[in-house]
Amino acid sequence: MLKLLEAVVFFLYLILLLYMGAYISRNKLGNKSHTVFGYLAFILAMADSVYFIPRLYGLLTDGLEENLRILGWGRIGQMLIMTLFFLVLSDLIKTRFSTKRKLPMDKLLYGLMIFRAVIGLFPQNQWFLLEPDGTFAFLRFIPLVIYVLLLSITLMAHSMKKGDSNIILFTILMIIQLLLVEYPIWGAEKLWITYMMAAGRGLIFLSMIFIGYLEVRKENELSRY
């Protein structure tokens, strides 16, 4: 029963992401920051599909233990695509607030994400085990924390200056999701912790995309008058 529930919840989550991404992409009215929201929705859908579809296949067939190879490749794929997700997040600053590129900051941000991706490819991550190693999860977590905090400080400074309450909320959600990204760090080998963290992570990411979705809807309603 729990396996079927996980499958239903995942596909509802995926449908919501794809719907919001498609709506934003079709109706963005030339707003570049809304283009970024559309990209984020599709990248997020791709990242979670790469992991959850092999996971669901394992759960609904022979079990995860018999499908660790496809599950491991799914984990690696999700890690790499989520790295792209966070990189695209940095474009929100430039498109939303029309800021110029700052080469040293851009190099630092890209360097942190490249470092995370490289660390994530080491065999010591133990992606192909049922319970991956928590030590390397922590090593992957460090550059992500630095990246998100640097991005959050910049976003918060610009949004408070411009009075952009939506991006303030978006930034808060972005910081909270840090607590839910690397499950093994928090002892997520316990099943109930895994499900709670996965549900929380999904709701936070849906909420982040929903901010852009609501803005596009409002913009389209106003354009009718």
Side-chain angles (χ1 to χ4, degrees):
M1 183 63 184
L2 195 59
K3 298 173 184 179
L4 289 174
L5 181 61
E6 183 175 341
V8 170
V9 169
F10 167 70
F11 283 111
L12 284 174
Y13 165 80
L14 187 62
I15 288 167
L16 282 171
L17 269 181
L18 292 174
Y19 169 74
M20 289 192 291
Y23 182 88
I24 291 168
S25 298
R26 287 199 310 267
N27 300 283
K28 58 184 182 293
L29 300 179
N31 188 316
K32 291 183 179 179
S33 72
H34 291 159
T35 300
V36 174
F37 274 102
Y39 288 156
L40 291 174
F42 290 128
I43 294 170
L44 192 56
M46 189 187 309
D48 287 340
S49 295
V50 163
Y51 168 64
F52 277 103
I53 289 176
R55 175 180 169 81
L56 293 174
Y57 174 80
L59 286 172
L60 298 173
T61 55
D62 305 325
L64 294 179
E65 294 86 350
E66 299 298 322
N67 294 277
L68 288 176
R69 180 149 294 275
I70 61 167
L71 183 63
W73 285 116
R75 288 166 172 165
I76 293 170
Q78 185 188 45
M79 181 273 297
L80 292 173
I81 298 170
M82 283 305 296
T83 299
L84 176 62
F85 174 86
F86 286 108
L87 281 173
V88 172
L89 268 179
S90 66
D91 288 337
L92 194 59
I93 299 170
K94 303 175 186 70
T95 56
R96 188 81 172 196
F97 304 108
S98 302
T99 59
K100 295 180 180 178
R101 286 188 174 275
K102 295 181 179 179
L103 196 57
M105 177 62 79
D106 285 347
K107 284 183 177 179
L108 176 59
L109 292 176
Y110 275 84
L112 287 166
M113 287 296 96
I114 291 170
F115 177 72
R116 180 175 188 267
V118 170
I119 287 290
L121 293 175
F122 278 40
Q124 289 88 345
N125 288 276
Q126 299 176 348
W127 294 116
F128 298 98
L129 296 183
L130 190 59
E131 297 177 4
D133 181 56
T135 303
F136 266 70
F138 185 72
L139 290 176
R140 297 192 304 270
F141 186 59
I142 292 171
L144 183 61
V145 169
I146 298 170
Y147 179 93
V148 169
L149 290 180
L150 286 172
L151 207 61
S152 299
I153 290 167
T154 308
L155 272 172
M156 193 66 78
H158 283 293
S159 55
M160 290 182 75
K161 184 178 179 181
K162 299 285 187 180
D164 194 334
S165 58
N166 282 346
I167 296 300
I168 291 173
L169 176 59
F170 182 91
T171 306
I172 292 169
L173 291 171
M174 186 169 64
I175 294 170
I176 294 171
Q177 63 80 33
L178 276 176
L179 301 174
L180 307 171
V181 173
E182 297 290 354
Y183 301 167
I185 295 175
W186 314 112
E189 67 276 0
K190 295 178 181 177
L191 189 60
W192 69 271
I193 296 178
T194 301
Y195 280 120
M196 289 291 289
M197 293 184 74
R201 174 188 176 279
L203 285 172
I204 287 173
F205 278 127
L206 280 175
S207 299
M208 290 168 70
I209 304 301
F210 191 61
I211 289 170
Y213 170 76
L214 282 181
E215 286 187 352
V216 173
R217 284 192 68 90
K218 185 176 180 180
E219 195 174 82
N220 276 269
E221 287 171 4
L222 291 173
S223 70
R224 296 173 189 170
Y225 299 101

